[in-house]
Amino acid sequence: QLQLVESGGGLVQPGGSLRLSCAASGFTLDYYTLGWFRQAPGKEREGISCISTSGGRSYYADSVKGRFTISRDNAKNMVYLQMNSLKPEDTAVYYCAADLRFTTVQAMCVMYRVGYWGQGTQVTVSS
């Protein structure tokens, strides 16, 4: 009954921008640490960015730091990932994730402590 649904993926040229959204149903995101992960074909899943329940703390992987920004809107039960200066190596399926608030942003993004996963949205960066 608990679902996370990603949207906003697509094809974009190198240097372009894209905004991913994730909507939750069946539970209230106020009580959850949230994050974004990605997986390219033949590659391991990578924790990209995670954010605390209030948005006060966040984590970014070195590969996206300075280019991506995570944010959340608890009133709308949504989490977002703004992606700027996109590179071909950013091409992957992007997943949103959630876990109870006792999980820290580092525990989620680095230690892969995740309770719920979305189905993913494809992002392709190509000229």
Side-chain angles (χ1 to χ4, degrees):
Q1 292 297 112
L2 282 68
Q3 292 188 76
L4 296 168
V5 180
E6 303 92 338
S7 62
L11 176 64
V12 64
Q13 294 185 339
S17 297
L18 209 59
R19 190 195 194 204
L20 304 183
S21 300
C22 177
S25 63
F27 61 106
T28 300
L29 290 185
D30 297 20
Y31 308 122
Y32 290 84
T33 302
L34 304 173
W36 288 94
F37 294 73
R38 69 184 182 187
Q39 188 165 22
K43 304 293 184 180
E44 294 185 1
R45 186 161 49 189
E46 177 185 16
I48 299 301
S49 183
C50 294
I51 188 168
S52 63
T53 54
S54 66
R57 293 186 293 275
S58 60
Y59 169 91
Y60 293 94
D62 289 342
S63 58
V64 305
K65 194 173 298 181
R67 299 188 297 120
F68 291 11
T69 303
I70 190 170
S71 62
R72 63 189 296 163
D73 188 338
N74 288 347
K76 295 182 178 180
N77 230 28
M78 297 189 73
V79 61
Y80 309 94
L81 185 68
Q82 178 66 46
M83 305 185 294
N84 298 326
S85 302
L86 284 163
K87 306 173 181 179
E89 51 262 45
D90 294 319
T91 296
V93 177
Y94 284 70
Y95 301 88
C96 64
D99 205 3
L100 288 170
R101 66 186 186 274
F102 305 106
T103 296
T104 66
V105 293
Q106 287 213 66
M108 174 170 284
C109 262
V110 178
M111 302 176 68
Y112 287 62
R113 295 214 170 113
V114 176
Y116 306 96
W117 293 96
Q119 294 300 306
T121 185
Q122 177 71 48
V123 172
T124 302
V125 184
S126 177
S127 59

